[in-house]
Amino acid sequence: MQRAAGLVRRGSCPRASGPWGRSHSSAAAEASAALKVRPERSPRDRILTLESMNPQVKAVEYAVRGPIVHKAGEIEMELQRGIKKPFTEVIRANIGDAHAMGQQPITFLRQVMALCTYPNLLSSPSFPEDAKKRARRILQACGGNSLGSYSASQGVNCIREDVAAFITRRDGVSADPDNIYLTTGASDGISTILKLLVSGGGKSRTGVMIPIPQYPLYSAVISELDAVQVNYYLDEENCWALNVNELRRAVRQAKDHCNPKVLCIINPGNPTGQVQSRKCIEDVIHFAWEEKLFLLADEVYQDNVYSPDCRFHSFKKVLYQMGPEYSSNVELASFHSTSKGYMGECGYRGGYMEVINLHPEIKGQLVKLLSVRLCPPVSGQAAMDIVVNPPVPGEESFEQFSREKEFVLGNLAQKAKLTEDLFNQVPGIQCNPLQGAMYAFPRILIPAKAVEAAQSHKMAPDMFYCMKLLEETGICVVPGSGFGQREGTYHFRMTILPPVEKLKTLLHKVKDFHLKFLEKYS
Amino acid sequence: MQRAAGLVRRGSCPRASGPWGRSHSSAAAEASAALKVRPERSPRDRILTLESMNPQVKAVEYAVRGPIVHKAGEIEMELQRGIKKPFTEVIRANIGDAHAMGQQPITFLRQVMALCTYPNLLSSPSFPEDAKKRARRILQACGGNSLGSYSASQGVNCIREDVAAFITRRDGVSADPDNIYLTTGASDGISTILKLLVSGGGKSRTGVMIPIPQYPLYSAVISELDAVQVNYYLDEENCWALNVNELRRAVRQAKDHCNPKVLCIINPGNPTGQVQSRKCIEDVIHFAWEEKLFLLADEVYQDNVYSPDCRFHSFKKVLYQMGPEYSSNVELASFHSTSKGYMGECGYRGGYMEVINLHPEIKGQLVKLLSVRLCPPVSGQAAMDIVVNPPVPGEESFEQFSREKEFVLGNLAQKAKLTEDLFNQVPGIQCNPLQGAMYAFPRILIPAKAVEAAQSHKMAPDMFYCMKLLEETGICVVPGSGFGQREGTYHFRMTILPPVEKLKTLLHKVKDFHLKFLEKYS
């Protein structure tokens, strides 16, 4: 690494003269330089400091890449430098990053992407015709037939059509391409919609209802936008179910100090892995209708359902099935992504949102807001296209595609069960069934003495636990406090993405660590 | 297009019963549904309306993709439907979108990208070894060797190293990879830094100094963040030069109503195409030092310099050449992108920023803020790598790469001259030399009668002019009012990206239109 601090190559600077750099030379500046004694300025006397910075950004927290992940990076560097540890590698189970955990990309998706990237390959016999067909279709919809052109801010037209056709097939309810917006991952869509929605000051600040535990993108964006976070608690005793009575409690209390306008749902749940029943979704929609709330349905794990008793129901579908009083009134934005499911293409930052019942004037505002950032990455849009428009029976690539897809999803289902079963064998760990998504969020017993030890280190007890776990085993998980949890309860979030054998080793290491931890602090 | 409005498939909804969708069934909800007469709710009775939305977003304007571009889209649809016009195609000269205007991608860049996308190609003999070498290096730095993994929020390490090496070569001043942040295009970097910087209310709101004319990303982000836009005017009579006395005037006046904290510079200029002299940059840096301003240097057009008398000087280089009093004190963020230059890869949304003299605590805040959006698109990061790490003499691809690069830049230089010369032959059009970037921003005479006609249509006079130009010739350019201009002067921004012959036709059409326009309204 090259360090810049203080290094100046004077050789290439014919006009600079001395430390004051007197070569600025407008008459006024010269005069002021000559007359005034310049005040001393310490290198730490910065314009942008913790005191002067945007206080809303300062208040942001994002645990999934927080201090524990920073520590993990430090430990990796130490390992590289040959420093001895009780383990040989750091296992990053903190984030849903499938390929980083060894999952292979879906071949068909990458074939289409390569063809779009380098169209010379369209004449290569080593690519299947169905991949070429899709690549040609995408390229024809791009300016100059190039992924390097900007797309419309809302996204490439034909890709939005494919997304709408996918939703129509999924829900049995027709979707309009005009309501589809391609995004830079789902996170971008969620923050864009929230940005549109926040307004007001004091008691009329916008309240945004989010589940606790939540995915911390929500709390971070709420903080950035200076909105009010309104927590509703998922029912851990009931498999992290969402109970509408709890929504009622939360909104009632919130009305004292803000204007609740938005209800965010994560289904399947992150970090909690529950899959909402159809009845529960109906209840939520009715509640949103009654309370006049704008609904945000984060459905990025819609392909990740493992429990045989569970099925994914989209909010859009249930909304339409409830009849026109709902379907023509409730404002709903739902989100999907290339990052999760069976494809795990996080790096491309592909995603879409479908927004229905948006006021026509607001649609214009939304498109304007999107246009300031020009467009989502076109390569990510292309990846999204393959996710919603995969090979179908009869196409050349169908068999291989299906095999790869089933392998990933079957594997995840196996690991979900494995993780639940193993955690529940450990005294002091309780783990709800992992019905969906790709995380375990077990509850952990932290003895009073450990809580005291944590306090003496000025750490949340579960942060203390996770730090110890990392330092002793190399396993990086995220403390429950980063997602929110009922006071006095402790959890961590761990992905189930490592390969089966590695995951087994990991779970046994957690078990051994936990038992030792209990022993040490009891 | 499928339209969703009101369409419900009842067949797939066994539990819905009638238009009220009575299947919500928590006890409380049932009771309330039975007892209350539901208020009528019109489909327009939305939660998110122009009145309730985020007022800062409502205030955003973004002309580059504004009403005129919307109108261009409508006209294209009419042409497709066979409606006769005095022209056969719309020419979108509104945006710097090189590939959409027929510029071919740089082969080497796309080869590396294809190899990264579909690593099976690494064994193909049809790809050159230097491209394979770069692809392998990038993939080795990605989790699981896949572009589909998230990168570190700051960007892939080895790509940041390549960016630092590029800056070091360019400036003769060493750059630290730790100060490099990969971004989703330059726009993302600029708005992230501004987001960190804004704070305060009332008279202590953050003032952000921007050039007029400006690229409207700046005004849009300032509006979104509820900061104060502080205009400094470029000197049209002096080839759009930046005059430090004008900066002094602007900051002095601004101090009455806000806290000026940031100075934004666009060099080479967008939309104005001037290239700042080294002396001018020194003056600006000294001014920022004196006034304690955080400097933002938008240098995305650094490869686009056409005038033989001009040379690009980076703010970073000049800052270091001015000596340690400046180089260890002035906080500077500078921005670059894959979208402009000779590669024109807009769709990948690649970019970087180098931020120097950032307070160490703020660095942590910046990384935290970036981590909420996880990471910039990894494919865009890879594209950025090729921009900063192109083939060098002796490498297999060097000759072809150089030929392609020189072709694009030579062509742009030719078109810059052509445009300036032709515009200046037209009575009532004055065009400064296009020293750099990829736009002409000619001043146009709009006769008093045309101003009146515009007013009767509730349009800015230059919007009226550009709309007429679009309707009569199919040429889509952006009115100067979208960028800001001195009161009573009128301009438009037009890219010089169309191929030479097409550009000539276009310029002649503008000329003919302008003469007719003058005649009609004089």
Side-chain angles (χ1 to χ4, degrees):
Chain A
M1 276 208 183
Q2 295 136 326
R3 293 262 152 204
L7 193 157
V8 187
R9 293 214 192 153
R10 283 172 199 287
S12 55
C13 172
R15 303 185 56 214
S17 51
W20 297 99
R22 286 287 306 282
S23 52
H24 57 86
S25 52
S26 86
E30 286 287 324
S32 98
L35 292 172
K36 278 195 280 183
V37 174
R38 293 227 174 87
E40 284 286 319
R41 203 189 283 187
S42 120
R44 292 186 58 88
D45 183 16
R46 295 279 178 256
I47 295 154
L48 183 54
T49 64
L50 282 184
E51 290 66 46
S52 73
M53 73 175 283
N54 185 333
Q56 293 153 218
V57 171
K58 192 157 85 181
V60 164
E61 288 179 11
Y62 189 71
V64 174
R65 295 196 151 195
I68 199 126
V69 183
H70 186 78
K71 181 77 187 174
E74 284 179 6
I75 291 177
E76 271 173 345
M77 304 261 264
E78 288 172 5
L79 284 172
Q80 274 171 27
R81 288 205 305 274
I83 295 176
K84 283 273 176 294
K85 301 270 174 190
F87 48 88
T88 53
E89 64 165 339
V90 168
I91 302 176
R92 290 177 176 264
N94 59 297
I95 189 165
D97 193 0
H99 293 191
M101 283 289 158
Q103 185 182 309
Q104 291 305 302
I106 299 289
T107 304
F108 184 76
L109 189 147
R110 291 303 187 93
Q111 285 174 330
V112 178
M113 299 289 287
L115 291 161
C116 288
T117 304
Y118 191 56
N120 284 14
L121 293 170
L122 284 165
S123 57
S124 158
S126 31
F127 284 78
E129 276 310 313
D130 46 1
K132 289 181 184 173
K133 193 176 129 198
R134 278 173 182 70
R136 281 197 197 94
R137 182 157 177 278
I138 293 170
L139 288 175
Q140 275 162 15
C142 293
N145 300 324
S146 170
L147 287 193
S149 297
Y150 292 119
S151 74
S153 302
Q154 198 171 343
V156 174
N157 278 349
C158 81
I159 300 179
R160 290 192 290 114
E161 284 166 19
D162 287 347
V163 169
F166 160 81
I167 296 173
T168 302
R169 284 195 307 276
R170 184 194 66 187
D171 293 345
V173 174
S174 94
D176 183 345
D178 202 38
N179 291 335
I180 309 297
Y181 303 77
L182 296 168
T183 59
T184 309
S187 303
D188 168 51
I190 292 165
S191 48
T192 300
I193 291 292
L194 287 174
K195 193 187 276 181
L196 269 179
L197 275 159
V198 300
S199 64
K203 282 198 172 186
S204 60
R205 278 203 299 165
T206 295
V208 180
M209 302 183 70
I210 62 171
I212 296 295
Q214 55 124 8
Y215 174 58
L217 167 73
Y218 290 93
S219 51
V221 173
I222 290 168
S223 171
E224 266 184 40
L225 293 170
D226 204 20
V228 179
Q229 177 176 326
V230 177
N231 296 337
Y232 65 88
Y233 288 84
L234 300 175
D235 186 358
E236 182 164 16
E237 271 60 52
N238 193 11
C239 203
W240 296 114
L242 193 169
N243 184 318
V244 172
N245 289 329
E246 167 61 9
L247 291 179
R248 290 188 205 288
R249 178 209 58 78
V251 83
R252 196 175 51 238
Q253 290 184 3
K255 282 176 181 170
D256 290 342
H257 60 277
C258 70
N259 175 18
K261 246 167 51 176
V262 193
L263 171 56
C264 301
I265 307 285
I266 311 173
N267 178 47
N270 175 6
T272 40
Q274 82 285 14
V275 176
Q276 272 182 285
S277 70
R278 199 188 167 292
K279 177 188 165 307
C280 173
I281 294 173
E282 275 196 24
D283 290 349
V284 170
I285 291 173
H286 176 71
F287 169 80
W289 182 92
E290 211 173 36
E291 291 287 345
K292 293 199 169 199
L293 297 168
F294 194 111
L295 263 173
L296 261 60
D298 178 341
E299 301 176 330
V300 300
Y301 297 100
Q302 57 188 268
D303 284 321
N304 300 97
V305 176
Y306 313 119
S307 285
D309 310 332
C310 295
R311 220 185 107 200
F312 170 74
H313 301 277
S314 78
F315 268 72
K316 164 88 181 295
K317 178 186 77 175
V318 177
L319 181 68
Y320 271 76
Q321 290 176 348
M322 285 170 75
E325 178 65 9
Y326 295 88
S327 66
S328 62
N329 277 309
V330 175
E331 290 151 85
L332 168 70
S334 38
F335 305 90
H336 196 13
S337 156
T338 60
S339 304
K340 310 301 172 187
Y342 52 90
M343 46 286 174
E345 294 282 7
C346 311
Y348 281 102
R349 312 308 298 120
Y352 76 75
M353 58 184 178
E354 183 188 26
V355 192
I356 58 173
N357 290 322
L358 200 62
H359 194 296
E361 289 171 342
I362 295 295
K363 188 176 161 50
Q365 294 287 329
L366 174 54
V367 171
K368 176 189 75 178
L369 181 59
L370 294 172
S371 75
V372 175
R373 305 297 145 83
L374 298 161
C375 69
V378 181
S379 49
Q381 297 185 46
M384 193 75 240
D385 190 63
I386 309 314
V387 172
V388 297
N389 186 21
V392 291
E395 284 189 310
E396 191 178 345
S397 303
F398 179 70
E399 201 205 333
Q400 185 183 359
F401 169 79
S402 304
R403 208 178 334 112
E404 291 176 357
K405 174 179 170 177
E406 293 318 318
F407 177 78
V408 173
L409 291 177
N411 218 254
L412 282 169
Q414 183 195 349
K415 292 189 281 191
K417 190 76 180 66
L418 185 76
T419 304
E420 175 195 344
D421 289 349
L422 202 137
F423 275 147
N424 284 326
Q425 288 165 20
V426 185
I429 298 188
Q430 271 177 288
C431 185
N432 270 323
L434 279 65
Q435 297 173 337
M438 42 183 66
Y439 312 99
F441 194 68
R443 182 160 169 181
I444 46 175
L445 174 70
I446 300 193
K449 274 194 194 162
V451 173
E452 280 166 35
Q455 280 161 351
S456 75
H457 286 81
K458 296 191 173 152
M459 273 188 197
D462 49 8
M463 175 66 90
F464 179 76
Y465 179 97
C466 293
M467 277 287 183
K468 290 277 174 212
L469 177 67
L470 174 63
E471 286 163 0
E472 292 178 21
T473 67
I475 298 167
C476 178
V477 300
V478 189
S481 46
F483 304 89
Q485 53 200 352
R486 285 214 183 260
E487 214 176 307
T489 70
Y490 305 109
H491 304 78
F492 61 79
R493 187 186 86 162
M494 187 193 90
T495 70
I496 56 166
L497 290 171
V500 175
E501 286 312 310
K502 198 169 195 168
L503 181 65
K504 278 185 190 161
T505 312
L506 183 155
L507 290 167
H508 281 286
K509 281 186 172 187
V510 174
K511 177 183 169 185
D512 295 344
F513 165 81
H514 186 78
L515 295 175
K516 264 174 57 193
F517 185 88
L518 287 192
E519 201 180 299
K520 180 169 180 191
Y521 291 103
S522 63
Chain B
M1 276 206 184
Q2 294 137 326
R3 293 261 152 206
L7 193 158
V8 187
R9 292 214 192 153
R10 284 172 199 288
S12 56
C13 172
R15 302 187 56 214
S17 50
W20 298 98
R22 286 286 307 282
S23 53
H24 57 86
S25 52
S26 85
E30 285 286 323
S32 99
L35 291 173
K36 278 196 279 181
V37 175
R38 292 226 175 86
E40 283 286 319
R41 202 189 282 186
S42 120
R44 291 187 60 88
D45 183 16
R46 295 279 179 256
I47 294 154
L48 183 54
T49 64
L50 283 185
E51 290 67 45
S52 72
M53 75 176 282
N54 186 333
Q56 292 153 220
V57 171
K58 192 156 86 181
V60 164
E61 287 179 14
Y62 188 71
V64 176
R65 296 197 152 193
I68 200 123
V69 184
H70 188 77
K71 182 76 186 175
E74 283 179 6
I75 292 177
E76 272 173 345
M77 304 261 266
E78 288 172 4
L79 285 172
Q80 275 171 24
R81 288 205 306 273
I83 296 175
K84 284 271 177 294
K85 302 270 174 191
F87 48 87
T88 53
E89 65 165 338
V90 168
I91 302 176
R92 289 176 176 264
N94 58 296
I95 188 165
D97 193 1
H99 293 192
M101 283 289 158
Q103 184 181 311
Q104 292 304 302
I106 299 290
T107 303
F108 184 76
L109 188 146
R110 291 304 186 92
Q111 285 173 331
V112 178
M113 298 289 288
L115 290 161
C116 288
T117 304
Y118 192 56
N120 284 14
L121 293 171
L122 284 165
S123 57
S124 158
S126 31
F127 285 78
E129 277 310 312
D130 47 0
K132 288 181 184 173
K133 192 176 128 199
R134 278 172 182 71
R136 281 197 196 94
R137 181 157 177 278
I138 294 170
L139 288 174
Q140 275 162 15
C142 293
N145 300 325
S146 169
L147 287 193
S149 298
Y150 293 118
S151 74
S153 302
Q154 198 172 343
V156 173
N157 278 349
C158 80
I159 300 179
R160 291 193 289 114
E161 284 166 17
D162 288 347
V163 169
F166 160 81
I167 296 173
T168 303
R169 285 195 308 274
R170 184 194 66 188
D171 292 345
V173 173
S174 94
D176 183 346
D178 203 38
N179 291 337
I180 309 297
Y181 302 77
L182 296 167
T183 58
T184 309
S187 303
D188 169 51
I190 293 165
S191 47
T192 299
I193 291 293
L194 286 175
K195 193 187 277 181
L196 268 179
L197 275 158
V198 301
S199 63
K203 282 196 170 186
S204 59
R205 277 203 299 164
T206 296
V208 181
M209 302 183 70
I210 62 171
I212 296 295
Q214 54 125 8
Y215 174 59
L217 167 74
Y218 291 92
S219 51
V221 173
I222 289 168
S223 172
E224 266 184 42
L225 293 170
D226 205 19
V228 179
Q229 176 177 327
V230 177
N231 296 335
Y232 64 89
Y233 289 85
L234 300 176
D235 185 357
E236 182 164 15
E237 272 60 52
N238 195 10
C239 204
W240 296 114
L242 194 169
N243 184 318
V244 172
N245 289 329
E246 167 62 8
L247 291 179
R248 289 188 207 287
R249 178 211 56 81
V251 82
R252 193 175 53 238
Q253 290 184 3
K255 281 175 181 170
D256 290 342
H257 59 278
C258 70
N259 174 18
K261 247 168 49 177
V262 193
L263 171 56
C264 301
I265 307 285
I266 313 175
N267 178 47
N270 175 5
T272 40
Q274 83 285 14
V275 176
Q276 273 181 285
S277 70
R278 198 186 169 295
K279 176 189 164 307
C280 173
I281 294 173
E282 275 196 23
D283 289 348
V284 170
I285 291 173
H286 175 71
F287 169 80
W289 182 92
E290 212 175 35
E291 291 288 344
K292 292 199 170 200
L293 298 168
F294 195 111
L295 263 174
L296 262 60
D298 178 342
E299 301 176 330
V300 300
Y301 296 100
Q302 59 189 267
D303 285 321
N304 300 100
V305 176
Y306 314 119
S307 285
D309 309 332
C310 295
R311 218 185 109 199
F312 170 75
H313 301 277
S314 78
F315 268 72
K316 163 87 181 296
K317 179 187 75 175
V318 178
L319 181 68
Y320 271 77
Q321 291 177 348
M322 286 170 73
E325 179 65 9
Y326 293 89
S327 66
S328 62
N329 276 310
V330 175
E331 291 151 85
L332 168 69
S334 38
F335 304 91
H336 197 11
S337 156
T338 60
S339 304
K340 310 302 172 188
Y342 53 89
M343 46 286 174
E345 295 282 6
C346 311
Y348 281 102
R349 315 306 300 118
Y352 76 75
M353 56 185 179
E354 183 188 22
V355 192
I356 57 172
N357 290 322
L358 201 61
H359 194 296
E361 288 171 343
I362 295 295
K363 187 175 162 53
Q365 293 288 328
L366 174 54
V367 171
K368 176 189 76 177
L369 182 59
L370 295 172
S371 74
V372 175
R373 304 297 144 83
L374 299 159
C375 68
V378 180
S379 48
Q381 297 185 46
M384 193 75 239
D385 190 63
I386 309 315
V387 172
V388 297
N389 186 22
V392 291
E395 283 189 310
E396 190 177 346
S397 303
F398 178 70
E399 201 206 332
Q400 185 183 357
F401 169 79
S402 304
R403 209 181 331 115
E404 291 176 356
K405 174 178 170 177
E406 293 318 319
F407 177 77
V408 172
L409 291 178
N411 219 254
L412 282 169
Q414 184 193 349
K415 292 189 281 190
K417 190 77 180 64
L418 185 76
T419 304
E420 176 196 343
D421 289 349
L422 203 137
F423 275 146
N424 284 327
Q425 288 165 19
V426 186
I429 299 188
Q430 272 178 287
C431 186
N432 270 323
L434 280 65
Q435 298 174 335
M438 41 182 68
Y439 313 99
F441 195 67
R443 182 159 169 181
I444 46 175
L445 174 69
I446 299 191
K449 274 194 195 162
V451 174
E452 280 165 34
Q455 280 161 350
S456 74
H457 286 81
K458 296 192 171 147
M459 273 188 199
D462 50 7
M463 173 66 90
F464 179 75
Y465 179 97
C466 293
M467 276 287 183
K468 291 276 175 214
L469 177 68
L470 174 63
E471 285 163 2
E472 292 177 23
T473 67
I475 298 167
C476 179
V477 300
V478 189
S481 46
F483 304 88
Q485 53 201 352
R486 284 215 183 259
E487 215 176 306
T489 69
Y490 305 109
H491 304 77
F492 62 79
R493 188 188 83 163
M494 188 193 89
T495 70
I496 56 166
L497 291 171
V500 175
E501 287 311 311
K502 199 170 195 167
L503 181 66
K504 280 185 189 162
T505 313
L506 182 155
L507 290 167
H508 282 286
K509 281 186 174 187
V510 174
K511 176 184 170 185
D512 295 344
F513 165 82
H514 186 79
L515 295 175
K516 265 173 58 191
F517 185 88
L518 286 193
E519 200 181 299
K520 180 170 178 190
Y521 291 102
S522 63

